[in-house]
Amino acid sequence: MTYVRAVGRAFALAAFGLLSWLDVLLELLTFGLLCLGLVFFLGPAIEWARHRSATARVLAGRWCGVEIEPPYLPEPPEPERERDGWYRDGNTLYKRAFWIRWSRRLTWVMEDPAAQREFMWQLLNPLVTLLLPVFALLGGPMALRGYGHWTRWWLGRRPGAVVKIGALRWVHQRLESLGHQLGIFALSVVLTAFAVWPVALLLVAPPMAAPVVRWSRTIANTLRREVGTWTGVRIPTPYLPAPPLPTPRPDGLFQVGQQLYEEPWWPVQLSRTRWVMRDRATWRDVLAAVVLPPVSALLALPTAVLVFGGFLGLIDLWIWRPIMATWNVTWPWFSIVGLPEPSDTADALALTPIALAAFLLGLVPTTFLAKQAVRFARLLLGPTEASRLAQRVDRLKQTRTDVTVAQAAELRRIERDLHDGIQSRLVAMGMKLGAVEALVDHDPAAAKRLAAELRSASAEALTELRVLIRGIHPPVLSERGLLDAVRAIALDSPLKAEVTGSLPGRVEEPVEACVYFAVSELLGNAAKHGSRRVFVTVSFDDDLLTLVVVDDGPGGADPARGSGLRGIERRLGGFDGRLTLTSPIGGPTSATVEVPCQLHLGLRPRPGASPPGTPEEGDPRPSSPKTNTSSETA
């Protein structure tokens, strides 16, 4: 009875598995609508397909005896209304929460690694379930249990990275690279679809083209970001800075050339249209939309044909051929590629090396070809030297004011701390010294008590002064350098922190202080938001100091919502540095601090160095105060 029930369930799973292709068809259809500009259907289609996957997990638990937990990241939070009644997303305000909710859910389903595995399961599961009744006839319940493990591998939770060794890791990496090749082709097709509308508007209605071009640039930026994540080849954003808002004349009118306008709307549209038309990156995006799809297809087509052809050949030899032979049906797979069709097991053994060689030969160049496709895309989508200079000038203009304001605020903080803390203690100590002078002749015992209180007050004032000094410039930073200082704050952090990396020398002291406080703020944020572990990586390459802080927190960090992250951005802006934050809902959060600077090789503080203010002649080492964070002044 158990054997018959297993065969019946296998046929039911086979019928249910065929429905997955309907989900695939729906997702491909909505993806095509996305390419045409109808962006509201892909996310709901992916979420609808998850209902089928949920049913598959339930059936695997009931019929196959394999429990499967849902693998998805936590759902994004609902948008919160601001006090003024608006909804905020970054630096943009919305009257209603629909757009924010939709964009968050689309990002949630698209960036979830489980969604990619789920799509592959939808493609492959019908093929597997078609063979399941045959295996159930041979193995009974054991076949169902094997199918349950197969389903759990695709649709179950993966708590950590699976360590692959040897050939498995090589095959896995090459298959990922093949997926990256196909992903580059798909994104280039989307870029082509979205580039048609701006070009048409530029030719027909130029004033209406500026907002459409700015919107279509998000597609190109998505391609730049994703291919950089996949292959490690970065493509910076090439666009010129947006023009400032027009300023009125003394008479209140707005002037554009020889024309005057009463309202700023039309001057804004004209300036943005000129900005879009004169930016070479606009036309290079159009050129990339025309050239990149055929080039990426040309690079991906040979490997895809070999890999899929070899894989389907192996399936045909050892799965489909025996089944078709029992029904006296032939499947002319090998004759399509010009090879003789196998008639028996001996022919299958002879053709197996050919199919396996095609599969492996297609995998070999995938990583190389994926990087070449991205490098070609960088030629068209990357910035030119003129755009780099324009972006840098605009960034320096923005950060100059921020740095001035931040320095003024820091000076006010130091003045306030000195005035309210150290100064008040010194005034109190001075008054007690006067009392000691008055009591020392006629009441020596009271004078001794006041002197003891003065000694205690001086120790407290010294401790407070050291805390203030560490807030201005930590002594450990001057004495040990940036890497050891980062290790010190990691040890003081309540998190389980691990610091790796190396620095062959010392960077400039202002850069060291900037990066030190940035890392301190990032560790504090990680501890505040519930993280347990954090990993800090320090490196220096091509005159670029890079620190990466990764924590296992809940994610969802946004610089627009927190003053701490914006403070880091302002601090880094004074050194032309950048903070890059990746924090999907559910985590992990990865913050990358990049600061261009010079490295002084081999410079290290020496034991017994001269005190501050008396550096040795010709010694380029930065002087450091002889103060320890936990001892008296030397």
Side-chain angles (χ1 to χ4, degrees):
M1 188 64 182
T2 304
Y3 183 87
V4 176
R5 185 185 298 114
V7 175
R9 289 175 175 177
F11 277 101
L13 289 173
F16 177 78
L18 293 176
L19 298 178
S20 297
W21 278 343
L22 296 178
D23 296 330
V24 172
L25 183 61
L26 178 62
E27 290 171 350
L28 293 178
L29 178 62
T30 54
F31 181 77
L33 294 177
L34 174 69
C35 296
L36 296 177
L38 303 176
V39 298
F40 296 100
F41 302 101
L42 181 59
I46 296 176
E47 292 191 52
W48 170 262
R50 290 186 172 184
H51 295 293
R52 194 98 55 203
S53 302
T55 305
R57 284 189 288 269
V58 172
L59 293 178
R62 292 179 180 176
W63 292 355
C64 305
V66 179
E67 298 296 331
I68 304 176
E69 296 182 5
Y72 310 116
L73 296 175
E75 294 190 13
E78 285 292 316
E80 296 182 0
R81 190 189 296 269
E82 301 283 338
R83 292 182 178 178
D84 56 2
W86 291 76
Y87 293 92
R88 178 173 179 174
D89 184 28
N91 293 326
T92 307
L93 296 177
Y94 297 92
K95 289 184 177 180
R96 295 177 178 85
F98 168 76
W99 177 260
I100 302 177
R101 184 184 299 110
W102 173 84
S103 61
R104 286 182 181 178
R105 295 193 70 85
L106 180 62
T107 304
W108 168 57
V109 298
M110 294 294 291
E111 294 184 355
D112 193 344
Q116 304 172 13
R117 300 199 309 269
E118 194 172 55
F119 183 76
M120 293 301 300
W121 176 83
Q122 294 165 2
L123 285 175
L124 300 177
N125 184 62
L127 299 175
V128 174
T129 53
L130 286 177
L131 300 175
L132 185 59
V134 178
F135 290 108
L137 288 172
L138 299 176
M142 291 295 295
L144 289 182
R145 190 162 186 83
Y147 174 76
H149 287 291
W150 149 272
T151 306
R152 184 170 62 183
W153 192 83
W154 283 105
L155 298 181
R157 184 184 300 276
R158 297 186 182 180
V162 180
V163 179
K164 302 178 178 63
I165 58 175
L168 289 179
R169 179 168 53 189
W170 184 88
V171 171
H172 181 265
Q173 292 175 348
R174 268 39 182 201
L175 285 176
E176 278 192 341
S177 298
L178 177 60
H180 297 161
Q181 284 187 275
L182 299 177
I184 293 170
F185 171 71
L187 287 176
S188 63
V189 171
V190 176
L191 179 64
T192 302
F194 277 92
V196 173
W197 308 106
V199 172
L201 287 176
L202 285 172
L203 297 177
V204 177
M208 300 175 58
V212 179
V213 169
R214 294 183 65 184
W215 177 70
S216 65
R217 285 178 174 180
T218 59
I219 307 301
N221 287 330
T222 301
L223 189 149
R224 294 183 182 97
R225 183 183 66 252
E226 294 300 326
V227 299
T229 303
W230 293 341
T231 64
V233 180
R234 298 180 57 189
I235 305 179
T237 304
Y239 307 114
L240 295 176
L245 295 176
T247 55
R249 292 166 19 121
D251 56 3
L253 299 178
F254 297 89
Q255 181 176 359
V256 178
Q258 297 181 352
Q259 184 68 35
L260 297 177
Y261 298 91
E262 295 182 355
E263 301 293 335
W265 185 87
W266 190 250
V268 169
Q269 301 305 317
L270 292 177
S271 63
R272 290 184 176 179
T273 301
R274 286 197 299 267
W275 164 55
V276 168
M277 296 285 287
R278 295 177 182 178
D279 192 350
R280 295 183 179 179
T282 301
W283 306 105
R284 295 176 72 204
D285 284 353
V286 175
L287 179 62
V290 175
V291 177
L292 191 56
V295 172
S296 58
L298 185 63
L299 293 175
L301 186 61
T303 56
V305 169
L306 288 173
V307 170
F308 289 112
F311 179 72
L312 293 177
L314 292 173
I315 292 179
D316 179 50
L317 288 174
W318 299 107
I319 298 178
W320 286 110
R321 183 189 59 80
I323 297 175
M324 296 299 181
T326 59
W327 296 341
N328 294 323
V329 178
T330 59
W331 175 256
W333 173 253
F334 283 91
S335 61
I336 295 176
V337 296
L339 294 173
E341 287 295 330
S343 58
D344 51 21
T345 304
D347 293 341
L349 289 174
L351 291 174
T352 296
I354 298 177
L356 186 60
F359 178 78
L360 296 177
L361 185 63
L363 290 179
V364 169
T366 52
T367 301
F368 172 77
L369 292 178
K371 289 187 177 181
Q372 297 309 311
V374 178
R375 290 191 177 101
F376 179 80
R378 186 171 59 182
L379 294 177
L380 300 174
L381 297 175
T384 61
E385 191 62 29
S387 63
R388 285 195 188 95
L389 291 176
Q391 290 176 352
R392 187 163 186 177
V393 169
D394 183 71
R395 181 173 175 80
L396 290 176
K397 287 180 180 178
Q398 294 176 357
T399 57
R400 181 176 57 187
T401 303
D402 292 339
V403 170
T404 303
V405 173
Q407 287 179 344
E410 187 70 10
L411 289 175
R412 287 194 299 270
R413 182 189 69 83
I414 296 172
E415 184 272 336
R416 185 171 59 252
D417 291 345
L418 290 173
H419 180 274
D420 298 340
I422 302 298
Q423 178 176 323
S424 61
R425 289 183 181 276
L426 292 178
V427 170
M429 291 171 63
M431 296 175 64
K432 287 183 178 181
L433 282 174
V436 169
E437 291 178 352
L439 293 174
V440 68
D441 291 332
H442 63 275
D443 194 352
K448 287 182 179 181
R449 287 195 300 270
L450 285 178
E453 293 177 4
L454 281 172
R455 185 182 301 108
S456 176
S458 65
E460 292 177 0
L462 182 59
T463 301
E464 186 174 346
L465 186 59
R466 284 174 179 166
V467 172
L468 181 60
I469 291 174
R470 283 198 293 270
I472 300 173
H473 190 85
V476 66
L477 192 62
S478 297
E479 295 174 0
R480 304 296 301 276
L482 178 62
L483 187 58
D484 289 339
V486 170
R487 290 195 177 104
I489 58 173
L491 289 174
D492 293 337
S493 173
L495 305 173
K496 294 181 179 179
E498 179 180 342
V499 181
T500 59
S502 62
L503 287 177
R506 294 286 297 271
V507 298
E508 294 89 343
E509 286 190 1
V511 175
E512 283 186 336
C514 172
V515 175
Y516 173 86
F517 287 113
V519 174
S520 178
E521 178 69 23
L522 291 173
L523 292 178
N525 286 343
K528 182 172 63 176
H529 292 94
S531 301
R532 294 183 300 274
R533 294 185 61 87
V534 63
F535 302 91
V536 183
T537 305
V538 184
S539 62
F540 185 88
D541 187 28
D542 292 336
D543 293 336
L544 186 68
L545 176 63
T546 305
L547 283 91
V548 182
V549 181
V550 181
D551 64 65
D552 60 352
D558 187 358
R561 299 179 183 176
S563 58
L565 294 175
R566 298 185 69 179
I568 293 175
E569 290 180 335
R570 288 193 298 267
R571 187 187 294 270
L572 293 173
F575 301 92
D576 202 17
R578 291 182 180 275
L579 172 66
T580 304
L581 191 67
T582 303
S583 184
I585 300 297
T589 297
S590 175
T592 303
V593 175
E594 296 176 320
V595 183
C597 59
Q598 297 293 325
L599 197 67
H600 303 294
L601 300 178
L603 298 185
R604 287 286 186 270
R606 302 168 301 172
S610 301
T614 59
E616 297 180 6
E617 184 178 357
D619 187 1
R621 276 179 273 263
S623 60
S624 59
K626 304 297 293 179
T627 306
N628 190 277
T629 57
S630 60
S631 63
E632 296 287 334
T633 304

